[in-house]
Amino acid sequence: MSGPTAPRRLADTSREVADLANAVVHEATAAGRLDLADLISTSASRWADPQVSIVVAGEVGVGKTSLLNALIGRHGLLPAASEPTTGVITMVHGITGPDPVFEATVDDRDDPVPLDAGELAEWIGLSGQAGPSVAQVRVGVPEPLTGARLTFVDTPGVAGPHTIADRLVLAVLARADVLLFVLDPDAPVGQAELDFLTRAHRDVGACVVALSRIDRFRGWATMHADSSSILDREFGDWVTATVGVSSALAEVAEELRTEDPAAAAELDTESGLGELRAVLAALGQKAKYLRLRGLLLVVQRVLDEVSEPLLAAGRASEASADELTSQVAAIKAEHAELKARGSEALRGVGDGVSALREQMGIDLRRLVVELHAEHEDRLVTAKADPDSLLDALESDLRAAQIRFEEGLEARFTALGERLAAQLDAADAIDGETTPGPIGRRAPAEVAKEDFSLRLRMAAIMASAGGGTLMLVMGVTGTAGAQDWRSGLAGLSMVLGSIVSNSGVRQTRQHKVLQTVRTQAKEILDDWQATTLAAGRARLLGGQRDLETAVRSSVKDRLAELDHQVADLEAVARASAQDRRRLAVEARTIAERLTALDGRLVAQTRIVQDAIVGTLDRSPGPDGPLTAS
Amino acid sequence: MSPAPPAAPYDRTVLRPRGPLATLVDAALARLSAELDDDQVRAQISVIREGLNEPLRVAVAGRVKAGKSTLVNALLRQRVAPTDVGECTSLVTWYAFGVPERLEIVRVDGGRELRPLHADGSLPVSLGVDPGEIDRLEVYLSIEELRALTIIDTPGLQSANDSLSRRTRELLAIDEVSRRGVAAADVLLLVMALEPHQDDIDTLRLFDAQFGGLSRNALNAVGVLSRIDHLGVGPADVRDRADALAERFADHHHLSLAAVIPVNGLVAETIRCGVLTERDAEALTRLLDLSPSARRLLLLSADRFVGSDAPVSRTDRLRLLTLLDLHGIGLALAELETTGRGGAALGRRLQAHSGIDRLAVEVFDHFGRRADAFKVGRALAALHHIQAERGADRARVVEVAEHLALDPLMLTVHLVRVAQQVANGEVTLPDALAQELVALVTARVDVAIDAVAEAGVDAPHDAAAAALNRISVDPVSGIRRWRSFSNDSHAGPAAREVAEVVLRTFEAAL
């Protein structure tokens, strides 16, 4: 950066920064944060202020006021307010008259109140509180720092027992160009000081650290080394210089000025005040850049504050859209699994019923064949002993009946159990899935339905079993008889009469036996052809009913779930789309803000270089950057 | 047979001086103990008697570099606490009476490690234990004053590395449980810079909270205004300005601090630890050869003092600077110039200037005496809670407790108790009466015990009169005031009891 190009650069930079500030004001206004937009306007309005404002701040009792008195070369002018309880700040500005002028700004009066020098302590100090509400005490001093147009603002100490002081100092900082921060070199920089500097760092363009009372310590620079590295780490080149000063030495130098000029000059140098004045004057030359820096800091703060909720909202929208999508996916997956398990359950019902049917058919056929074969054998034996034939026939029929009945009942019980198990499985599926949005059937309702199914099944079993009993009774003859025993008795009487006549009619024995055989065969054939078939038909009917009931129950539930999932998916999809759109919008804004932030960082660098650069090269009083 | 517990490395029993009230109560308890049949009741009484023997704990707190360790050294008359930043300054250190003199490192896990002190009585530079594993350091010294109290030096508050100050805040709570069991009153020495900082207020609040609001009756917190040498350039008016500042600070925080005492810690440490030698005094005297203006220029800054030409070697000047600081050197030169006498006389004069004597009186004398009232108050309270199975024993304990409570000598103890009730907010008094009570207690406690100790039988009357005299209250008008408050229908039974105790004090003075 060379001399001739600098004016153009200031103009360029200020235009750039103004554009940037306008853009951010626009964003803040769009975001409805007019308060933030105002912050920028306030900072920008300082651009044309001819005075460079330097705020003197530091912890209580660190020697701010003595330092300020020493800086303007008037020891004892401002009273050290050793009780920093008031919210009063003191502004020291240059005047053309020969003597200092004091006045106070009071809240309920438009005109400033003129004060005597002697009243100053009272107005600044504690007792000022009792009087009218003092906003500010102004002290006019003939040319405090020649040619530099510097205004000093003395503040109550920060980190004292009165937090109101901290707030007041920060409010003053918002309208300042430079912070002159006074530190005790003997004590490590404290957390309260760092907190204050962190807040000041957001508002003011540059900071100069003054280490006070260096006359008290040997090697104060070494003592300060730790604090210095902390400040460097936290604030970088925002702290443009660190100067050790001693107001006490400066005061003695002033006393000895005429008496011992050589010693006075020595003390002047040792006091560090000359160096501090030079640093401040150099910064004063860079006022325009300091203000740009200050403006950029405010712009940065506004940008951050505007961006933050927008970005957060965008992130939140995106996250909630993602969450909705994944929720729907999870529900769909659950639904699919549910369907798979439902159809498996249905398949199980069909399989179970047909397996049972097959097995029962086999059993029935085998029974018939067995009965048939046995009957043949017994008929042959009956030739020799018709009575035992009848006995055997009777007991055989009874045993066959019992066997068949028991077998059938066991089968039905097994079928019932399997179906019940499958129903349970279906219920369980229904119960364990579909959280939240999918309406869940009340457990009571499910239980009721389950119970009715079981009842129905039991009825089917009972009717099927009863039918078989009837079939067996039909086998024994006497139509319409309720008691199969009486049927058997009838058959035995027929056979008995036939056999008792055989002794008389030996010749017809063969024929009789033939007739018995034929009759028995007919009975068996008839049993096989009609009653067995009818029993099987009824059995099948019962099974079908049962199967249908189970299937329709499971299917109903699955269909219901289908609907619910579809509804939910539609709602979620719409909502997710909505949020994604919001997120995209937020991202667009964020990109715009990030771009602004990039420009801001670049401009900040340029301005900061300009500020630090001045100190390194110490330009003349008409330095190129004072151009407006 | 179970193995014997590991023996403590050194005997920790310490003979402690006992105040007159504690002596009275202890004697009564000893008699009571002899009359009892039940060993369990005797054991409870023995715990109470041990409580009367506990040392007072004085915590020293303040910001980093406020001069806490310098002050501790000055109080102990031994440069034992390291004053520069090192391992030890980041740890809490207890200074207690014990022989032989030694350092015990108390680990976080409760284990202890022994270290000898250096030949000059200072702490070892390296502890050989990771500071993170150390709970506290316990330094045992054979310093008579420590028989009555234990000093707890804390790391500084408010450093940029906040872990230190957090440690200090935790410290004040470390032995909440064990403290409940002992009958020792606790005291805060708050070392402050020239202006009250937020941290100082925070520390006081913390102390208030930790100590059950006890400090708010201004009985057991004292501010120490350190680094008074920073007040001005000339040594002559430093004391006046320090006193003025101290007074204003005391006014500002009168509810929290019994007093604010300005102390030049470095000068006090140097003199009380006997570091200033005859040779140093000679070097100072030689500086008087300089013309007043040359001397003034020499004393303007530390760099000048060591760097300029002077009739004393730079090494000696650097030593003087380390021992006394510019302010102390100025003080010493002014003394030498007026009195013309060096050596021990100079030391005495400097010590008087440093303000340490007043602080030592406050800490060792007043706190020691106030401890008497605190401890006895706790002992009486504990006596009421004794569990006895046998009716005869129980009746005897109650009889002794009531007899002690009615003893006119115990009026001070009752005053402290009701003042605590008011400070804790258990009892509400009109502001004017509350302030009068605090003033009365502060004056009474200090005066009463002296009087009781010295005057004997008539002591209660003398003590009450002296206390009222000290706070300029006329007993007759006082009685009228408190009587009318007590008769007021708005005053609750607790407030009436407070009034009764105050009235007994006034009546004793008639």
Side-chain angles (χ1 to χ4, degrees):
Chain A
M1 190 175 75
S2 61
T5 61
R8 197 166 50 77
R9 260 190 88 179
L10 173 61
D12 290 348
T13 310
S14 54
R15 199 167 46 245
E16 276 269 0
V17 173
D19 282 355
L20 199 55
N22 282 332
V24 175
V25 165
H26 182 76
E27 293 291 352
T29 313
R33 295 296 304 270
L34 294 180
D35 56 327
L36 293 178
D38 276 354
L39 278 183
I40 295 181
S41 314
T42 309
S43 179
S45 69
R46 297 206 58 251
W47 181 251
D49 189 343
Q51 291 290 323
V52 177
S53 163
I54 297 172
V55 168
V56 187
E59 285 211 338
V60 286
V62 82
K64 293 178 295 297
T65 307
S66 320
L67 174 60
L68 182 47
N69 283 337
L71 262 178
I72 58 177
R74 287 172 182 272
H75 299 281
L77 176 77
L78 301 176
S82 40
E83 184 73 357
T85 51
T86 65
V88 179
I89 59 162
T90 313
M91 184 175 281
V92 180
H93 59 104
I95 54 166
T96 47
D99 296 314
V101 178
F102 307 97
E103 58 190 23
T105 317
V106 180
D107 273 354
D108 51 2
R109 282 180 61 170
D110 290 338
D111 307 329
V113 183
L115 309 174
D116 285 339
E119 291 178 312
L120 212 50
E122 200 182 325
W123 280 76
I124 296 172
L126 178 64
S127 49
Q129 265 184 337
S133 179
V134 183
Q136 197 183 67
V137 170
R138 288 173 64 88
V139 178
V141 178
E143 293 293 329
L145 276 181
T146 315
R149 305 183 120 181
L150 303 182
T151 300
F152 291 97
V153 183
D154 194 18
T155 63
V158 295
H162 306 280
T163 46
I164 186 171
D166 291 33
R167 286 203 296 277
L168 185 88
V169 177
L170 286 168
V172 172
L173 278 180
R175 297 187 300 276
D177 294 312
V178 179
L179 167 65
L180 177 57
F181 195 69
V182 189
L183 271 175
D184 179 354
D186 188 31
V189 62
Q191 195 59 48
E193 288 168 321
L194 283 181
D195 288 348
F196 175 80
L197 285 173
T198 305
R199 282 177 291 169
H201 184 238
R202 301 186 317 190
D203 284 327
V204 72
C207 172
V208 174
V209 168
L211 300 172
S212 63
R213 298 199 185 102
I214 55 165
D215 52 298
R216 313 301 311 172
F217 314 106
R218 267 175 59 74
W220 52 268
T222 324
M223 295 166 95
H224 180 64
D226 284 349
S227 302
S228 188
S229 69
I230 291 175
L231 293 179
D232 193 48
R233 191 185 65 223
E234 295 290 319
F235 306 110
D237 55 12
W238 177 66
V239 176
T240 50
T242 300
V243 186
V245 292
S246 163
S247 327
L249 291 181
E251 192 176 344
V252 179
E254 210 53 52
E255 273 178 45
L256 297 177
R257 190 74 64 207
T258 47
E259 188 186 316
D260 187 351
E266 241 179 70
L267 290 174
D268 269 338
T269 314
E270 286 172 26
S271 76
L273 278 163
E275 191 188 344
L276 181 59
R277 279 193 202 104
V279 165
L280 294 176
L283 275 175
Q285 299 288 349
K286 289 285 193 179
K288 290 289 183 188
Y289 275 115
L290 291 176
R291 281 165 198 176
L292 284 182
R293 178 85 176 91
L295 179 57
L296 283 169
L297 286 168
V298 173
V299 167
Q300 176 82 63
R301 202 167 107 206
V302 170
L303 191 57
D304 289 350
E305 278 200 41
V306 169
S307 308
E308 213 277 316
L310 280 171
L311 293 179
R315 277 193 299 272
S317 297
E318 194 131 15
S320 73
D322 285 351
E323 197 189 332
L324 268 178
T325 311
S326 66
Q327 260 179 20
V328 168
I331 290 167
K332 277 172 86 174
E334 264 177 28
H335 181 232
E337 197 198 333
L338 181 71
K339 269 176 105 167
R341 284 167 70 178
S343 28
E344 196 184 328
L346 285 180
R347 210 163 36 245
V349 172
D351 287 353
V353 171
S354 52
L356 183 71
R357 188 163 60 208
E358 203 168 297
Q359 186 59 46
M360 285 180 68
I362 292 167
D363 286 352
L364 279 170
R365 266 194 303 278
R366 198 172 57 224
L367 185 64
V368 170
V369 171
E370 278 173 12
L371 279 172
H372 208 84
E374 277 182 29
H375 216 74
E376 288 286 331
D377 290 349
R378 302 289 156 80
L379 282 174
V380 174
T381 319
K383 289 176 195 169
D385 185 357
D387 284 340
S388 67
L389 169 72
L390 285 176
D391 286 350
L393 188 59
E394 186 183 340
S395 73
D396 279 355
L397 276 171
R398 187 182 297 149
Q401 187 269 329
I402 289 168
R403 202 161 71 237
F404 180 64
E405 197 179 334
E406 278 175 358
L408 204 57
E409 237 174 65
R411 292 291 167 194
F412 271 113
T413 308
L415 175 66
E417 277 168 2
R418 281 179 68 179
L419 288 176
Q422 274 147 7
L423 275 176
D424 284 348
D427 283 347
I429 293 161
D430 194 34
E432 76 195 27
T433 54
T434 66
I438 295 182
R440 218 192 118 172
R441 298 162 77 119
E445 198 184 334
V446 174
K448 209 162 79 188
E449 194 171 348
D450 186 44
F451 181 64
S452 75
L453 266 173
R454 281 169 204 271
L455 263 183
R456 208 148 79 221
M457 204 166 72
I460 292 165
M461 279 173 65
S463 65
T468 313
L469 265 178
M470 292 303 288
L471 293 184
V472 175
M473 279 190 266
V475 172
T476 61
T478 327
Q482 291 298 308
D483 186 358
W484 64 275
R485 281 172 202 276
S486 63
L488 269 183
L491 184 58
S492 132
M493 269 165 64
V494 172
L495 289 174
S497 67
I498 291 167
V499 173
S500 62
N501 288 334
S502 64
V504 187
R505 301 169 192 178
Q506 282 292 326
T507 48
R508 291 176 66 192
Q509 190 181 30
H510 181 72
K511 204 175 172 182
V512 168
L513 280 172
Q514 199 69 37
T515 308
V516 168
R517 185 190 298 223
T518 309
Q519 278 183 354
K521 201 166 170 62
E522 271 171 13
I523 290 166
L524 280 169
D525 284 352
D526 183 51
W527 185 69
Q528 191 176 7
T530 60
T531 50
L532 188 62
R536 191 180 280 171
R538 289 186 68 175
L539 182 68
L540 285 179
Q543 287 164 349
R544 256 196 312 279
D545 286 352
L546 192 60
E547 195 179 327
T548 309
V550 173
R551 273 184 202 280
S552 69
S553 157
V554 175
K555 270 181 179 162
D556 280 356
R557 287 187 204 182
L558 287 180
E560 196 183 330
L561 284 183
D562 272 345
H563 278 304
Q564 283 170 346
V565 169
D567 287 353
L568 175 82
E569 202 185 336
V571 169
R573 196 174 292 125
S575 174
Q577 261 169 9
D578 225 29
R579 290 179 202 195
R580 247 180 251 297
R581 191 173 44 72
L582 278 177
V584 169
E585 274 173 24
R587 204 157 35 227
T588 318
I589 297 173
E591 275 162 15
R592 213 163 67 228
L593 295 177
T594 311
L596 283 178
D597 196 52
R599 282 169 62 194
L600 206 148
V601 170
Q603 290 303 323
T604 304
R605 198 62 257 162
I606 291 170
V607 172
Q608 185 63 34
D609 284 351
I611 293 172
V612 179
T614 310
L615 290 179
D616 293 345
R617 283 192 319 282
S618 57
D622 296 322
L625 301 167
T626 50
S628 58
Chain B
M1 202 178 110
S2 63
Y10 296 107
D11 184 10
R12 288 172 195 277
T13 9
V14 175
L15 279 178
R16 300 193 191 279
R18 200 178 269 159
L21 299 181
T23 309
L24 182 81
V25 172
D26 193 59
L29 291 182
R31 281 194 303 277
L32 171 65
S33 202
E35 293 167 12
L36 293 172
D37 296 328
D38 190 340
D39 281 346
Q40 283 194 338
V41 184
R42 257 206 296 278
Q44 293 175 62
I45 286 174
S46 138
V47 168
I48 296 176
R49 289 182 66 194
E50 277 166 27
L52 290 170
N53 198 35
E54 285 291 329
L56 186 76
R57 288 182 188 174
V58 181
V60 182
R63 303 185 121 203
V64 168
K65 299 282 274 182
K68 295 179 295 296
S69 295
T70 307
L71 199 68
V72 168
N73 288 340
L75 285 173
L76 296 177
R77 292 203 183 88
Q78 184 170 333
R79 288 216 288 191
V80 56
T83 51
D84 49 345
V85 177
E87 274 182 16
C88 295
T89 43
S90 66
L91 293 167
V92 172
T93 311
W94 294 43
Y95 297 94
F97 184 89
V99 182
E101 301 206 330
R102 65 196 184 269
L103 164 66
E104 290 187 12
I105 300 169
V106 182
R107 289 169 166 279
V108 177
D109 61 17
R112 282 173 183 265
E113 292 193 21
L114 275 175
R115 296 277 187 283
L117 300 182
H118 280 166
D120 63 357
S122 63
L123 292 181
V125 177
S126 171
L127 299 172
V129 178
D130 176 7
E133 289 178 17
I134 299 177
D135 179 71
R136 63 176 186 270
L137 303 179
E138 288 186 1
V139 180
Y140 290 93
L141 302 169
S142 56
I143 294 173
E144 277 307 305
E145 283 93 336
L146 288 181
R147 282 185 188 274
L149 50 85
T150 293
I151 293 179
I152 305 170
D153 192 10
T154 67
L157 296 163
Q158 177 63 19
S159 58
N161 172 9
D162 203 32
S163 64
L164 283 191
S165 48
R166 206 170 296 129
R167 220 181 144 71
T168 304
R169 278 156 216 242
E170 281 165 8
L171 153 84
L172 291 173
I174 50 169
D175 53 359
E176 181 58 38
V177 178
S178 56
R179 200 154 39 77
R180 232 180 280 137
V182 297
D186 289 304
V187 166
L188 176 70
L189 280 194
L190 182 59
V191 184
M192 296 177 301
L194 297 169
E195 305 281 354
H197 284 79
Q198 189 55 49
D199 324 315
D200 301 326
I201 312 289
D202 287 349
T203 308
L204 274 175
R205 289 213 183 100
L206 180 75
F207 182 72
D208 269 1
Q210 290 298 330
F211 292 77
L214 202 65
S215 69
R216 252 175 286 165
N217 60 30
L219 285 173
N220 57 346
V222 163
V224 178
L225 194 59
S226 70
R227 303 178 76 186
I228 51 173
D229 50 318
H230 284 208
L231 265 181
V233 283
D237 60 345
V238 163
R239 295 281 319 170
D240 292 344
R241 292 178 62 182
D243 283 342
L245 261 176
E247 264 171 40
R248 212 183 45 217
F249 193 89
D251 285 346
H252 196 77
H253 296 278
H254 66 278
L255 280 175
S256 296
L257 297 169
V260 177
I261 302 170
V263 174
N264 186 323
L266 184 63
V267 170
E269 182 193 41
T270 296
I271 305 299
R272 277 179 59 110
C273 298
V275 188
L276 195 75
T277 59
E278 211 45 60
R279 212 188 123 168
D280 296 320
E282 273 168 36
L284 285 168
T285 315
R286 254 177 291 142
L287 286 177
L288 285 178
D289 295 344
L290 286 167
S291 71
S293 61
R295 215 191 303 157
R296 184 186 179 200
L297 285 175
L298 184 70
L299 288 172
L300 273 179
S301 77
D303 283 335
R304 283 183 159 263
F305 183 73
V306 178
S308 313
D309 290 329
V312 175
S313 77
R314 287 191 182 190
T315 325
D316 287 351
R317 276 183 275 162
L318 199 54
R319 180 179 152 83
L320 285 176
L321 196 64
T322 318
L323 291 183
L324 296 173
D325 206 356
L326 276 187
H327 173 251
I329 293 167
L331 213 59
L333 291 181
E335 278 303 323
L336 284 172
E337 200 161 36
T338 29
T339 63
R341 294 192 310 163
L346 176 66
R348 277 195 302 278
R349 303 281 299 175
L350 284 180
Q351 181 168 329
H353 269 291
S354 74
I356 190 70
D357 295 336
R358 203 182 138 199
L359 182 69
V361 164
E362 189 72 37
V363 172
F364 294 127
D365 215 30
H366 292 180
F367 282 150
R369 282 151 197 274
R370 288 170 190 181
D372 195 28
F374 287 135
K375 286 189 224 170
V376 166
R378 289 175 201 208
L380 290 185
L383 206 53
H384 282 291
H385 291 108
I386 276 195
Q387 309 281 328
E389 286 194 3
R390 291 189 53 227
D393 284 351
R394 200 162 48 235
R396 188 72 190 108
V397 169
V398 170
E399 189 187 333
V400 170
E402 281 177 359
H403 191 260
L404 279 174
L406 288 173
D407 192 311
L409 289 179
M410 293 295 163
L411 208 47
T412 311
V413 178
H414 297 309
L415 264 181
V416 169
R417 178 172 53 80
V418 297
Q420 281 171 333
Q421 285 174 350
V422 172
N424 291 342
E426 288 167 30
V427 180
T428 314
L429 290 182
D431 280 351
L433 291 185
Q435 279 172 23
E436 190 173 296
L437 176 61
V438 167
L440 183 66
V441 171
T442 313
R444 163 88 199 185
V445 170
D446 289 347
V447 174
I449 298 162
D450 289 341
V452 169
E454 287 156 18
V457 185
D458 287 336
H461 169 264
D462 293 351
L468 292 180
N469 190 35
R470 187 181 277 202
I471 60 166
S472 320
V473 170
D474 165 38
V476 178
S477 73
I479 287 173
R480 205 174 296 131
R481 204 162 40 245
W482 285 85
R483 182 66 69 202
S484 91
F485 167 71
S486 174
N487 292 338
D488 186 339
S489 56
H490 296 299
R496 263 195 218 110
E497 198 210 325
V498 173
E500 280 310 313
V501 172
V502 176
L503 281 168
R504 275 169 64 193
T505 310
F506 283 134
E507 281 156 5
L510 287 173

